Amino acid sequence: MPTKMLRIPTPDGQADAFAALPDDDKRHPGVLMYADGFGIRPVVREMARDLAGHGYYVLVPNFFYRHGPAPVVELPEHIGEETRAVVMSRIMPLIEGHTVERTLLDADAYLSCLTAQPEVSAGPVAVTGYCIGGLLAVRTAAAHPGQVAAVAGFHAPVGAAGPDSLRRLTAQAHFGHAETDLTPEALAELNQVLDASGVDYTSEIYPDTVHGFTMADTDAFNPAALQLHWDRLLPLLGSTLADR
C-alpha cells in the first residue's frame, strides 16, 4: 500500500500529514481522517492503510502541528494505565488550546490539500475521526456542507460540537459511542438533536466498550468493536462515494 508524507500550508504554518492510497494508477475518493488525541503513530497509519485498501485516498493531518511535527508528545509503544495519566497530562493542554477557530481554519486547508491530490477523484469527500478527532470531523462536515458527503466519529465527544453545528450537518453520518462515554439517556438526547436536523444518520453505543476502543495500542482496545467500526464505516463510505 503506497504511503507518503505531505506538508499542508495553513494560515498558521505547515501541517505535516500522512497519506495512504490504493496501489494503482486510478483516481479514488478522498477521506480526511482525524486521529485521536495521541496523534499520528503506527496504529493510526495502519488504520489509514486498511481504509485505503478499500479504494480511498486517506489523508491524516497532524492537527497539533502548531506545537511541532508528529509525534508532538513522546508516546510509549503501548499506552497502558501506568503511562496514560502522564501522557494525558501533556496532551490535554494541546486539546484545550485547539479552538473552534483553529479547527475551521485548518479544515479548509486539509480539504483543499486532499482534493488537490492528483490521485483523488473529483466530487465530495468523507471525513472520519476518533476521540477528539471525531469532534473535529463533525465541525469540518458542518462547515463544508456541499463538500463533505459522509462523516463518522468513534468514541468521540460528538455532542460538544453543539446543537447549532449538528443541525448544520448535511452529510450522511454514523457515530459509534463507547459505553463509558455516553449513557442511553445521553444518547437519546443526542439523537433527538440529530433527528431535528433532518440528517441521515445512525448513532449507537457499541457493546462492552470503553473510551478509545478502536486503538490497538491502548488498554481500551476491543477487537470486536474495531470490527464493528469497519462494518459501519465502510458501507457508509460505499453508499455516499460509490458513484465516484
Side-chain angles (χ1 to χ4, degrees):
M1 189 65 57
T3 63
K4 61 178 71 174
M5 294 300 298
L6 302 176
R7 296 190 67 80
I8 304 174
T10 80
D12 290 335
Q14 288 196 328
D16 50 307
F18 175 80
L21 57 154
D23 190 11
D24 58 33
D25 295 325
K26 300 178 182 179
R27 300 177 74 190
H28 296 273
V31 178
L32 176 61
M33 176 187 285
Y34 288 110
D36 60 0
F38 297 134
I40 301 172
R41 58 196 192 282
V43 68
V44 171
R45 295 188 187 97
E46 184 62 29
M47 293 175 73
R49 285 192 290 266
D50 287 346
L51 183 53
H54 291 275
Y56 301 100
Y57 186 109
V58 184
L59 179 68
V60 189
N62 168 26
F63 50 83
F64 290 146
Y65 69 89
R66 293 173 180 84
H67 304 277
V72 177
V73 172
E74 185 176 353
L75 299 172
E77 185 174 338
H78 182 84
I79 305 167
E81 287 306 313
E82 68 282 358
T83 58
R84 184 180 181 87
V86 172
V87 173
M88 288 304 300
S89 70
R90 297 169 181 165
I91 289 176
M92 283 308 299
L94 308 184
I95 292 176
E96 292 166 356
H98 198 72
T99 63
V100 175
E101 180 182 12
R102 285 182 171 184
T103 298
L104 298 183
L105 284 173
D106 291 346
D108 291 343
Y110 301 156
L111 290 174
S112 294
C113 175
L114 176 61
T115 56
Q117 298 308 306
E119 302 92 346
V120 174
S121 51
V125 301
V127 186
T128 185
Y130 304 87
C131 184
I132 185 64
L135 174 59
L136 303 185
V138 170
R139 286 177 169 159
T140 298
H144 298 84
Q147 191 172 14
V148 177
V151 60
F154 301 93
H155 46 86
V158 174
D164 289 343
S165 287
L166 293 173
R167 292 190 185 106
R168 289 200 305 271
L169 284 177
T170 59
Q172 189 171 333
H174 173 72
F175 303 120
H177 311 283
E179 282 188 344
T180 56
D181 285 345
L182 213 60
T183 65
E185 294 76 18
L187 175 66
E189 292 177 4
L190 171 64
N191 290 353
Q192 284 178 356
V193 176
L194 293 169
D195 287 338
S197 74
V199 67
D200 184 359
Y201 78 95
T202 54
S203 176
E204 61 185 313
I205 295 174
Y206 287 15
D208 303 318
T209 54
V210 297
H211 181 74
F213 58 78
T214 60
M215 297 296 161
D217 61 350
T218 73
D219 284 350
F221 180 54
N222 181 320
L226 175 63
Q227 184 56 52
L228 180 58
H229 138 280
W230 289 122
D231 291 344
R232 298 291 191 263
L233 179 60
L234 293 174
L236 173 66
L237 300 182
S239 65
T240 53
L241 306 178
D243 59 346
R244 303 271 308 278

